[in-house]
Amino acid sequence: MVRMAAIDHTNNPVSNISPHLGRWAWFGIVLVLLGVFYTGVVRNLDPVGDKFFFHMYPGGGDFVYPYNGARALLAGVDPYTHDVPELFDPWGRDEPVNGIIFRQFYPPSHLAAYVPLVLITDGNFRAASRLWFHLNLLGLLTLSLVSCLLVARVFRWSYTFEMYGAMLFPSMLFALCMNQGVAIGLERGQSDIFTATLCWVGVLAWLCEKRFLPLLLVVTAALFKGYAILFALGLCLLGLIEGRRLLPIFAGAILPILILVVPVLEHFPK
């Protein structure tokens, strides 16, 4: 497991917290694990079957939209109203809006973020979908580790982290990987695991006194679906309140916009 260096808590507002988890904290962890375990096995209860979500064969049902949107950008056609059959949704979910069939429902910045995947996989959707699945698994591993490191900071664990982490890390990983919300995200190829990873790594980086990296990660996450916009604005506001190291904060916030927004600015609503 990860060995953490001793942390200076002289200016830490939680420095008076006990370095040990209390009984209610452990009860909460066990309750989460049991809940995930039960919802994973209850599908075998009579009548047996998939009781949580239906699988969209052969997979990648949500991944196809941003991926084909990125393919449309590279092909030089409008990802929202194009008429290229090979870029249509294979499941036929495109919908008419005011008499126009829309082929896309994600913001242009989200589509731009998938351009590297298209280039890496040479436009092969199946290969890209499998690659995205494993990137999401890597994200879940990262989220588990980051969760442990955040707990370690709060409870002032240092070299004793190996003892706690031996149980906490696999518990976090189990809870994340086996719950049904994550399962549907993996099966559909959604981006929420990736953006959640960006946000929580950003939190850890902020606590480690970094300013450029947190804003870079969180603003990038916000440009996918917009869920992290308030979080990004909050970090910017917190940085302004601190009144120091403003240049890294603004640089970290502006760089993702230059990369993911400016090149596709023409596709944003006028």
Side-chain angles (χ1 to χ4, degrees), residues 139-238:
L140 291 171
L141 282 168
T142 303
L143 279 172
S144 302
L145 179 59
V146 169
S147 299
C148 290
L149 294 176
L150 289 173
V151 170
R153 288 186 65 91
V154 170
F155 289 95
R156 300 185 292 127
W157 296 344
S158 55
Y159 293 113
T160 58
F161 182 62
E162 286 188 358
M163 177 179 66
Y164 291 102
M167 192 213 79
L168 194 58
F169 177 76
S171 298
M172 293 279 192
L173 186 61
F174 174 83
L176 285 173
C177 291
M178 299 307 295
N179 79 75
Q180 295 305 306
V182 170
I184 192 172
L186 290 171
E187 189 273 333
R188 298 284 198 272
Q190 296 171 355
S191 61
D192 303 272
I193 296 171
F194 179 73
T195 54
T197 303
L198 293 180
C199 288
W200 284 106
V201 172
V203 169
L204 183 61
W206 184 278
L207 293 175
C208 292
E209 297 300 322
K210 308 298 182 183
R211 292 298 177 260
F212 172 79
L213 182 60
L215 268 298
L216 176 70
L217 297 176
V218 173
V219 172
T220 299
L223 292 176
F224 269 68
K225 293 183 179 179
Y227 298 154
I229 287 178
L230 291 178
F231 184 27
L233 291 175
L235 280 187
C236 288
L237 180 61
L238 188 57

Side-chain angles (χ1 to χ4, degrees), residues 17-34 151 154-155 157 164 167-168 171-172:
I17 295 179
S18 168
H20 303 287
L21 288 177
R23 67 178 64 181
W24 286 108
W26 284 117
F27 176 77
I29 292 174
V30 172
L31 188 63
V32 168
L33 295 178
L34 289 178
V151 170
V154 170
F155 289 95
W157 296 344
Y164 291 102
M167 192 213 79
L168 194 58
S171 298
M172 293 279 192

Side-chain angles (χ1 to χ4, degrees), residues 36-211:
V36 171
F37 172 78
Y38 180 75
T39 54
V41 300
V42 75
R43 72 182 65 192
N44 300 307
L45 178 67
D46 181 19
V48 296
D50 192 342
K51 297 181 172 66
F52 302 105
F53 65 92
F54 66 93
H55 289 77
M56 294 177 61
Y57 181 84
D62 291 342
F63 176 77
V64 70
Y65 270 107
Y67 186 78
N68 276 351
R71 290 177 64 196
L73 290 175
L74 290 173
V77 299
D78 190 327
Y80 296 92
T81 58
H82 67 78
D83 199 25
V84 182
E86 67 180 70
L87 299 180
F88 291 176
D89 174 40
W91 288 270
R93 294 167 295 174
D94 298 342
E95 296 183 3
V97 179
N98 296 327
I100 301 175
I101 299 295
F102 271 74
R103 310 293 181 187
Q104 190 60 239
F105 304 100
Y106 291 110
S109 50
H110 191 160
L111 311 184
Y114 279 62
V115 167
L117 279 173
V118 176
L119 297 176
I120 291 171
T121 57
D122 196 25
N124 185 328
F125 169 69
R126 282 287 134 227
S129 179
R130 297 185 186 104
L131 174 60
W132 187 247
F133 175 87
H134 287 92
L135 289 175
N136 274 330
L137 287 184
L138 181 61
L140 291 171
L141 282 168
T142 303
L143 279 172
S144 302
L145 179 59
V146 169
S147 299
C148 290
L149 294 176
L150 289 173
V151 170
R153 288 186 65 91
V154 170
F155 289 95
R156 300 185 292 127
W157 296 344
S158 55
Y159 293 113
T160 58
F161 182 62
E162 286 188 358
M163 177 179 66
Y164 291 102
M167 192 213 79
L168 194 58
F169 177 76
S171 298
M172 293 279 192
L173 186 61
F174 174 83
L176 285 173
C177 291
M178 299 307 295
N179 79 75
Q180 295 305 306
V182 170
I184 192 172
L186 290 171
E187 189 273 333
R188 298 284 198 272
Q190 296 171 355
S191 61
D192 303 272
I193 296 171
F194 179 73
T195 54
T197 303
L198 293 180
C199 288
W200 284 106
V201 172
V203 169
L204 183 61
W206 184 278
L207 293 175
C208 292
E209 297 300 322
K210 308 298 182 183
R211 292 298 177 260

